[in-house]
Amino acid sequence: MPELDSPGMTRSDAERNRRILLNAAAEALAENPGASIAQVARTAGLARATVYRHFRTRQDLLEAMRAEALVSAAEAIAGSRLDEGDPLDALRRAVDALASHGVRFRALLVEGAELDPTFLQGRAEVLAPLHEVVRRGQKAGLIRPELPAQWVVTAMAALLAAGVRTLASGTDHRTVANLIFETLTDGVGTHP
């Protein structure tokens, strides 16, 4: 594999290499949320200096991962076919897709991405299409109409974050997605 950022590299090569580094960071941080730049470099099979050419600090790397997480979440939601079928089925597909995506970015939640106002604003924008799904569910009598759609989506996001954050190593994302969806739609109380 050629050294990253060598003379004559094209923009697409540089972007591909950046993705390699972000994937390695996700892998290293999934194993050890406190992983250093040196550990990320080892996971990527690269010299630490190469990582520093893309990300000056560990914080820069985490910010790049946050941005990628938002893009990935937007793609997951877009692929969830929100306009198809029953609104609860659409929400279930979205929760499953987001849980799958969230596993990869678990370390960001452990690192406190939810405390970053920029990340939270981006997350709200990414999740905005779910508001219409909730409103459709309310019109269909499937979701309590007195709950603001934004509240339902915010509760779903909080459950997703908690589920992904506490995910035991090796747990299938579908198990977490099912717990999240059931808690969101059924609550935690028993029903007669």
Side-chain angles (χ1 to χ4, degrees):
M1 182 164 130
E3 181 66 13
L4 294 177
D5 301 331
S6 60
M9 278 190 101
T10 66
R11 184 179 296 218
S12 64
D13 288 338
E15 181 57 33
R16 184 188 73 239
N17 291 334
R18 181 180 166 88
R19 285 218 170 274
I20 290 169
L21 288 171
L22 289 172
N23 287 335
E27 184 181 330
L29 291 168
E31 288 183 29
N32 173 13
S36 66
I37 290 283
Q39 290 167 308
V40 170
R42 277 195 298 279
T43 301
L46 300 168
R48 187 171 32 181
T50 303
V51 180
Y52 281 120
R53 279 197 291 273
H54 283 270
F55 308 105
R56 291 185 339 238
T57 66
R58 185 175 187 277
Q59 187 60 36
D60 289 344
L61 174 62
L62 290 173
E63 287 175 19
M65 288 181 68
R66 286 183 191 127
E68 184 178 333
L70 292 173
V71 168
S72 181
E75 291 169 353
I77 288 173
S80 296
R81 305 176 328 272
L82 297 180
D83 295 334
E84 291 180 20
D86 173 301
L88 289 181
D89 289 341
L91 279 179
R92 180 178 283 281
R93 287 191 301 271
V95 167
D96 187 63
L98 289 167
S100 174
H101 139 88
V103 169
R104 179 166 184 256
F105 295 103
R106 178 180 179 270
L108 294 177
L109 295 172
V110 173
E111 285 282 331
E114 294 176 289
L115 303 175
D116 175 8
T118 303
F119 178 80
L120 290 175
Q121 180 181 348
R123 183 179 76 177
E125 292 169 10
V126 165
L127 297 178
L130 296 174
H131 293 185
E132 182 54 34
V133 177
V134 171
R135 286 190 280 275
R136 280 194 306 122
Q138 290 170 324
K139 287 178 187 170
L142 301 170
I143 297 173
R144 290 175 35 199
E146 72 275 11
L147 297 175
Q150 182 175 352
W151 170 252
V152 175
V153 173
T154 299
M156 185 193 79
L159 287 168
L160 275 161
V164 170
R165 187 183 298 110
T166 59
L167 183 67
S169 181
T171 303
D172 180 61
H173 81 274
R174 285 186 180 88
T175 301
V176 173
N178 286 336
L179 287 171
I180 292 164
F181 185 76
E182 288 171 15
T183 303
L184 181 67
T185 58
D186 296 338
V188 294
T190 58
H191 302 284

